[in-house]
Amino acid sequence: RNAGYRHVVLLGMGGSSLCAEVLRAVYGVRAGWPELHVLDTTDEHTINNAARRMVPERTWIVVASKSGGTVEVASLEQFFWARVSEALGRDAGSRFIAVTDPGTALQKLASTRGYRESFINPADIGGRFSALSLFGLVPAALLGAPARDLLSAGTVMAQGCQQENHAN
C-alpha cells in the first residue's frame, strides 16, 4: 500500500478466486488500498479490458491455483506475464504473487520467474473450503479487508458447529 500499488488482478478459477470475489463485493475499495479485479473467466473481452486498464508499475498480479496446474489460470498467467514483461523487463516477477499448494508447477514457476512472493497453502484444505485459507486471506490483506475479523468469525462458527443442540 505504501509503495503506491493501485490495483490487484487475481487470476483464479472456482474455489481459488471465489472468496476474493466476495470480499471485493462486500468491502469494495477502501481509501488508500488497491482495487481488486478478479479474473475467474476465459472471456477474451473481459481479459483484454483488464489488461488495458492495468498499469504494471502499480499492479500486483496474484496467480491463485490450488493444483498449480489449472489450464485457465496457467493461460492467464502467461498472458499477463507477457504484458508485464514487455513493460518492466526483468522486473516483471516483482509484480507477481502465487498462492498454491506445496510442490505444484505454479510454485516452481514462481521460483523460476522470481515472483515477489509465493504463499503455500496447506494441501488438506479443499478448494471449495478455502475462504479462510491463504486463497482468501492473501486477497483480503491486499485489499485491506479485516482478515483478523474474518478469522475470528470463522473460529466462533467452528466452535458453534461442534455443539450438539438446536443452534447447530
Side-chain angles (χ1 to χ4, degrees):
R1 182 175 76 161
N2 293 337
Y5 285 84
R6 296 291 171 240
H7 298 275
V8 174
V9 177
L10 187 134
L11 313 175
M13 290 285 157
S16 296
S17 62
L18 185 58
C19 182
E21 186 82 40
V22 171
L23 291 170
R24 186 193 69 196
V26 170
Y27 294 104
V29 180
R30 292 183 57 201
W33 291 84
E35 182 176 357
L36 176 65
H37 308 276
V38 178
L39 291 180
D40 182 350
T41 185
T42 57
D43 178 67
E44 181 180 3
H45 180 72
T46 303
I47 295 165
N48 282 322
N49 279 342
R52 275 193 294 277
R53 288 191 313 263
M54 179 181 69
V55 177
E57 296 82 5
R58 299 285 175 240
T59 302
W60 292 115
I61 306 291
V62 178
V63 185
S65 175
K66 186 160 178 45
S67 70
T70 308
V71 172
E72 298 89 348
V73 176
S75 298
L76 288 168
E77 191 277 346
Q78 289 176 8
F79 176 81
F80 280 93
W81 180 263
R83 292 285 180 111
V84 175
S85 292
E86 183 179 312
L88 303 179
R90 294 174 54 166
D91 289 336
S94 68
R95 301 306 189 272
F96 281 76
I97 296 168
V99 183
T100 191
D101 280 0
T104 66
L106 176 55
Q107 183 181 13
K108 293 176 184 102
L109 180 70
S111 177
T112 301
R113 289 192 169 174
Y115 277 25
R116 165 94 181 210
E117 189 69 54
S118 290
F119 292 93
I120 308 305
N121 200 65
D124 63 344
I125 301 172
R128 292 182 184 93
F129 307 102
S130 62
L132 298 180
S133 76
L134 294 172
F135 288 98
L137 296 175
V138 169
L142 290 172
L143 67 91
R148 284 193 174 104
D149 292 348
L150 295 169
L151 289 172
S152 294
T155 298
V156 168
M157 181 56 69
Q159 291 167 346
C161 288
Q162 295 172 359
Q163 298 175 25
E164 295 293 334
N165 61 40
H166 69 281
N168 181 355

